[in-house]
Amino acid sequence: MYNPRFEKEAFKKEVKQNVKHLFRKEIDEVSQQELYQAVSYAVKEAIIDDWIATQKQYEKDDPKIVYYMSMEFLMGRALGNNLINMTAYTEVKEALEEMGMNLNLLEDEEPDPALGNGGLGRLAACFLDSLASLGYAAYGCGIRYRYGMFKQKIKDGYQVETPDNWLVNGNPFELRRPEYAKEVRFGGNIRVEYDDEGKIRFVQENYESVKAVPYDYPIVGYNNHVVNTLRIWDAEPIVDFQLESFDRGDYHKAVEQQNLAKNIVEVLYPNDNHYAGKELRLKQQYFFVSASLQAAIAKYKRGHDDIKKLYEKMTIQMNDTHPTVAVAELMRILLDEEGLGWEDAWDITKKTCAYTNHTIMAEALEKWPVDLFSRLLPRVYQIIQEIDRRFIEHIRKTYPGDENKVRKMAILRDGQVKMAHLAIVAGYSVNGVARLHTEILKNQELKEFYQLMPEKFNNKTNGITQRRFLMHGNPLLADWVTEKLGTKDWITDLSLMSGLKKYADDEASLKEFMDIKYKNKERLAEYIKKHNGIEVDPRSIFDVQVKRLHEYKRQLLNILHVMYLYNQIKAHPEKNFFPRTFIFGAKASAGYIRAKEIIKLINSVADVVNNDRSINGKIKVVFIEDYRVSNAEWIFAAADVSEQISTASKEASGTGNMKFMLNGAPTLGTMDGANVEIVEEVGIENAFIFGLSSDEVINYEQNGGYNPWDVYNSDQDVHSVVDQLVDGTYANGNSEMYRDLYNSLLVKKGSDRADMYFILKDFRAYAEAQEKVEEAYRDKERWAKMALLNTACCGKFSSDRTIREYVEEIWKLDPVTIEARTEE
């Protein structure tokens, strides 16, 4: 077993002791939630020994540490995943059963930590798992959001955002570390002074500040005794309550520090459609970046005298543009607190910071209004001005007389601070997250930067952790894989999955594989019945699209196609149509009105289709409320078809596509993001590819030549479903409910083209691909072989492979070994 001290009888005793000490109850008196807490604290007790040993080993070996800076860490539930990585899941399950308890029920008591939302945050979580499992020293650095983004409720088909109070019962796995608290300052003014030697000093005055208090969260490596740390920062007032102000009657002044602290960590991605939201978001980013850097440098200085060698022992990976203020904050600390000159500080910064770009979508390449940025972060803004001045000087030297280059590459331009430009100028590495995405960055979006500094650019195709998304999410398939391969080594080396290819023509193995899929479909069908009140047939095709709701991901194309199929079934009831269950899951950003309209449309179509008895259940439409990691695990395991239908060139990578593949679901998708590499691995005959290529999309965007009215007028099926958006079919006769969606497809608005994401252009190709899906599924042996080969060919898409590439090509880390302890 993982830990010799973690014995069954001792564990049971500890659970009972925890029940007594935490709740003053006997074991037979506690609720499931209390029992979950007692078990989690017992598991944490076992983790902490290794956590301490890991830190001691790091102090002894003094390895280089990567600080992974991210606004999001979508961790998923910790209890089951920790037990799997401790190789103690079976033992704990048995121990609890002997006590009359069910581990699965206890896992359901754990809320998903509300620390992230989409693929960006889930990638960060997979990376932390891989870093620990491979034995590399790492800290995840983020924010301890009180409510995260929101808990999604569906009311009358509409998304309703409710607070996700995930901390209501505390978080048994975290540790509050007030001894490492840091002060973070906002606003005020900068005073210049000179010391006795005439050296200039910049002093921030009249600022407001908060105390950043870290909470450490263990990241358990798989079967290697390594426990790394996710450090998430909470905000507290520097002075809890200003009694003097209160006594003077200035009540607002008395509580303003409390309010500042409370607001910073309240929610993930505050609605930034207005100035106050933008200000809060920038405060959040600077808050966790400043606190993390202060702590990282303090840790370095405890063991090293020469600050100029900082880059030898730490590297900062900025996960997208959100944490890129780290560049200027590191400069501020080196200049103002460590007393270095500009050249030395800049040299260190350029060797320490690296940047991952996750998107080519303009709205995600953050740009801050100069007036907001300079008011909120006055000293940081001064430093960015100087970085920008020197960079522009460099551009003009390299491209004499070419002011167009300056216009395109400047960090400060048009009243904005361009954060991606700052990250690229300062970082020693700039990476995309799939081969196609990186090529688009180099040749399109960041072309000027690539031409100026090609040596910085590289690709790191994303990956996922098989520990969570196969071992934990699909234990039936995980056990089958182990049996067929004759080894558990795939758990840390996913390339071994290729050994399953030899079973692709074995009838008995294919049947076993599909039986497992069917059991997982039954499990999901029960979940849907319980949560949605909809009965779905596990024998139908489970066609699944679960991901963040964004127009470029084209959930609208999917639901328009469902409307088309419904029309076909109504018009041709005699047609032999294979039953389909279309499953959606997605949150739309609170301020993203059109995305919320698409959710309403999906639910409206579901209401009509699911309640039409005349179609005999040939189609069911299900929208899974509050899509998150814990229900995602069940969805991936049950899916037959993986919908990856983004407009080509828009999806940087995708990681849901990899989780579906791992669990034996062929891809129905465009040649976008990592789909390109998935098809390379599994073969185009084992996927369903359709639609415009990225080159074609980019050509239309740059040169025009596409008019959606041409499709609307020439394709009667498209004409019909688009008209149904405004004829009241799915809106109880209200012709205006989906007018905006109708207009988005056909009517140009300002600088926005009609059908910006080529939904109508790709509609017919998508419908034909869907016909091929049905044809393939009817041939049971062919489908089983396709499904099994997807699992067998997924080896490349482990986050362990991705992390090895980061380590070898960017971070240059050395692994650390933690010796297993024995009983003394």
Side-chain angles (χ1 to χ4, degrees), residues 84-115:
I84 277 174
N85 282 7
M86 295 162 75
T87 64
Y89 193 91
T90 305
E91 289 90 334
V92 167
K93 198 169 193 292
E94 287 171 3
L96 291 172
E97 281 167 3
E98 288 168 16
M99 297 171 78
M101 300 164 199
N102 183 322
L103 177 54
N104 292 340
L105 292 179
L106 295 188
E107 286 188 68
D108 280 342
E109 290 294 321
E110 180 177 0
D112 284 51
L115 302 174

Side-chain angles (χ1 to χ4, degrees), residues 164 483 513 521:
D164 186 359
E483 181 199 328
F513 189 87
K521 289 169 78 172

Side-chain angles (χ1 to χ4, degrees), residues 137 246 252 254 452-453 643:
F246 191 85
H252 178 73
L452 182 62
M453 36 189 130
E643 293 256 6

